[in-house]
Amino acid sequence: MVYKKKVLFLACVVGGLALVYAGTWIFEPEQVHSRNAAFQWLDPKRLDEIDRIELSGSGDPLTLVRKDTRWFVDREDGTYPAKQGRIEEFLRILSTKGSYPVRGTETASHARLGLTEETASRILIRGGAAAYPLLDLLVGSQDPTGREVYLRKQDQKEVRSGNNTLSGYLSSSRTAWYNLRLFPETENPGLGVDSVQRLTVYPLAASAEDALESGEPSAPEPPFSLSRSEGGWIIEGASVNALDNQRVESYIRSIVDAEGEDFLPAPEGIQEDAFVQGRIILELGNGLSRSIRIGPALESNQRSGVVSDTPFVYALAEWTVNRLFRKASYFEKP
C-alpha cells in the first residue's frame, strides 16, 4: 500500500513539473513572438478564384491574367504566354505562413517605412466575376539589414516585416515573366529529341554586309535534312561523311529548348513571305510537324522569328539564331 502511494506521489510530481515546463515554454517571450509573427497574406483557399494580378514597383508595371488554367502577360497589343511556375511560386509565397512580425500600428510610421500609396510598390490580386480584390498589399522600404522589407495591407494601419523575396518579383523586368520558349511545354506535350524523326534546315540567307565582304552573291546554301536510320542519323542534301549522332541529338535538343529574348508586336496575320531568311522544319513521329522561320534583322544584334501554329513574333538573339542554323559540316564525326 505504501509503495502504491509513493508511485502515485511521484507521478503527480512528474506531471506537475511537466505542466510547469510546458507553461514556461508556451509563454516564453520568444515563443510568443514567433507565434504572433506567423502570418500569411493570402488565404490559400482563394487561390482558385484568382484571375488577375497587377504589379507595380521599380520594375515594369505588369498585369497578369488567367484564362482557364493558364497565365498570360497582358499588354496593350495583346496577351503573351507567361511562366506558369514563376507565378505559382509567387502566389505560394503570399499564401504560405511565414515569419512576418508586427513592426507598428500607427499611420505616422507609414511614410518613414515607404508604405504610403505614393511611395510603396503594390501587389493587387483580383478574382471573381466582379474582379474583387483578394489582396491589396503595399511593399515598402528595406529594413536596416536589407534582408527584410516592410509590408502592410492597403486598408490597414498595421505594418509587418518579412523576407525581401517579394521585392525581387516587383523589381524584375516584364520579360522575366514571359514564357519565351519557342516550343512551350504546355503547347507541345511530348516534344523532345526522341519524338523528332526528321529535321530539314533551310540555311540563313547571307546578309548584304556578308555579300559585300565576300564579293559573292547572297544566295543561301542548299537545304539539307537529318533523318533517323537504324538507331542513328543520316544526312541528305550535303556531302558529309559519318555523322556524330550525339552532336545531332544535342543540336535537336537545342532547337526544342530554344528561347527568344522578347515578344515583338505581331502584325494582323503573320505573312509567311516576311519570314523567309531561314527555316527549320521538325517532322515528328506522330505525323505532325513544327517549324521556325526567320525574318528581317533587328537592332541590337537580334533577328525576328515565328513558330508554326502560334500568333507570336519573337526577338531572337543573334547567337541563338547561329546555334539553330548550323552548317551540315558541323555534324560530321571528327
Side-chain angles (χ1 to χ4, degrees):
M1 193 69 179
V2 174
Y3 173 75
K4 290 184 177 180
K5 288 183 178 179
K6 287 184 177 180
V7 171
L8 180 61
F9 173 75
L10 290 174
C12 291
V13 170
V14 171
L17 290 174
L19 288 172
V20 171
Y21 175 78
T24 57
W25 185 84
I26 291 172
F27 296 105
E28 184 181 359
E30 289 186 6
Q31 297 298 328
V32 173
H33 173 77
S34 177
R35 288 194 300 278
N36 290 339
F39 188 78
Q40 63 190 29
W41 296 102
L42 185 63
D43 185 348
K45 296 179 181 178
R46 310 295 297 273
L47 290 176
D48 290 341
E49 300 177 35
I50 299 171
D51 53 27
R52 187 178 181 89
I53 302 172
E54 300 172 21
L55 305 178
S56 58
S58 57
D60 299 330
L62 187 80
T63 299
L64 302 164
V65 294
R66 180 155 64 178
K67 300 179 180 179
D68 296 325
T69 59
R70 294 174 53 207
W71 285 98
F72 296 85
V73 177
D74 192 21
R75 296 193 333 194
E76 292 182 358
D77 60 340
T79 56
Y80 295 84
K83 291 179 179 175
Q84 310 300 306
R86 179 179 174 87
I87 297 171
E88 289 169 3
E89 177 64 14
F90 176 66
L91 293 175
R92 186 196 64 79
I93 293 171
L94 292 170
S95 60
T96 300
K97 279 191 175 180
S99 179
Y100 295 99
V102 176
R103 299 303 187 186
T105 57
E106 300 297 329
T107 304
S109 67
H110 294 174
R112 177 171 54 84
L113 301 177
L115 284 171
T116 64
E117 290 191 42
E118 294 75 24
T119 60
S121 299
R122 190 174 186 180
I123 299 171
L124 183 57
I125 297 178
R126 301 180 183 272
Y132 181 78
L134 302 176
L135 176 65
D136 193 349
L137 181 62
L138 300 179
V139 181
S141 307
Q142 294 180 358
D143 75 346
T145 68
R147 293 191 295 269
E148 293 196 340
V149 67
Y150 297 108
L151 309 111
R152 77 174 177 92
K153 290 188 176 181
Q154 194 275 339
D155 57 350
Q156 296 181 6
K157 295 180 182 180
E158 181 181 83
V159 175
R160 291 177 178 266
S161 68
N163 190 285
N164 200 15
T165 305
L166 291 175
S167 294
Y169 286 96
L170 290 164
S171 62
S172 59
S173 66
R174 182 181 296 175
T175 55
W177 295 89
Y178 289 142
N179 183 354
L180 287 161
R181 285 178 62 106
L182 302 188
F183 300 104
E185 306 91 321
T186 52
E187 300 295 327
N188 300 274
L191 176 59
V193 176
D194 293 341
S195 64
V196 177
Q197 300 301 307
R198 180 181 171 89
L199 179 148
T200 303
V201 179
Y202 293 82
L204 290 171
S207 67
E209 292 80 1
D210 292 339
L212 286 174
E213 289 181 6
S214 63
E216 298 292 334
S218 57
E221 297 181 8
F224 64 90
S225 297
L226 297 164
S227 303
R228 289 189 184 275
S229 177
E230 300 180 355
W233 293 87
I234 60 173
I235 192 166
E236 303 171 52
S239 299
V240 176
N241 295 322
L243 296 182
D244 186 329
N245 291 325
Q246 186 173 352
R247 179 167 285 193
V248 172
E249 298 202 354
S250 177
Y251 169 65
I252 295 174
R253 185 174 295 107
S254 71
I255 295 174
V256 172
D257 295 340
E259 296 187 5
E261 301 289 298
D262 200 351
F263 288 111
L264 300 173
E268 287 291 336
I270 295 174
Q271 302 298 320
E272 290 196 13
D273 57 5
F275 296 89
V276 294
Q277 301 298 307
R279 182 162 47 117
I280 296 173
I281 300 175
L282 302 175
E283 297 177 44
L284 311 180
N286 59 9
L288 300 177
S289 64
R290 298 286 186 271
S291 67
I292 302 171
R293 302 195 308 274
I294 302 300
L298 307 171
E299 297 180 359
S300 304
N301 294 322
Q302 293 181 327
R303 301 287 291 265
S304 59
V306 295
V307 178
S308 57
D309 302 322
T310 72
F312 309 115
V313 180
Y314 296 85
L316 303 174
E318 190 69 26
W319 67 268
T320 298
V321 174
N322 291 336
R323 187 180 61 178
L324 293 176
F325 287 87
R326 299 287 191 181
K327 293 184 176 181
S329 59
Y330 171 79
F331 304 103
E332 189 169 11
K333 184 178 292 186

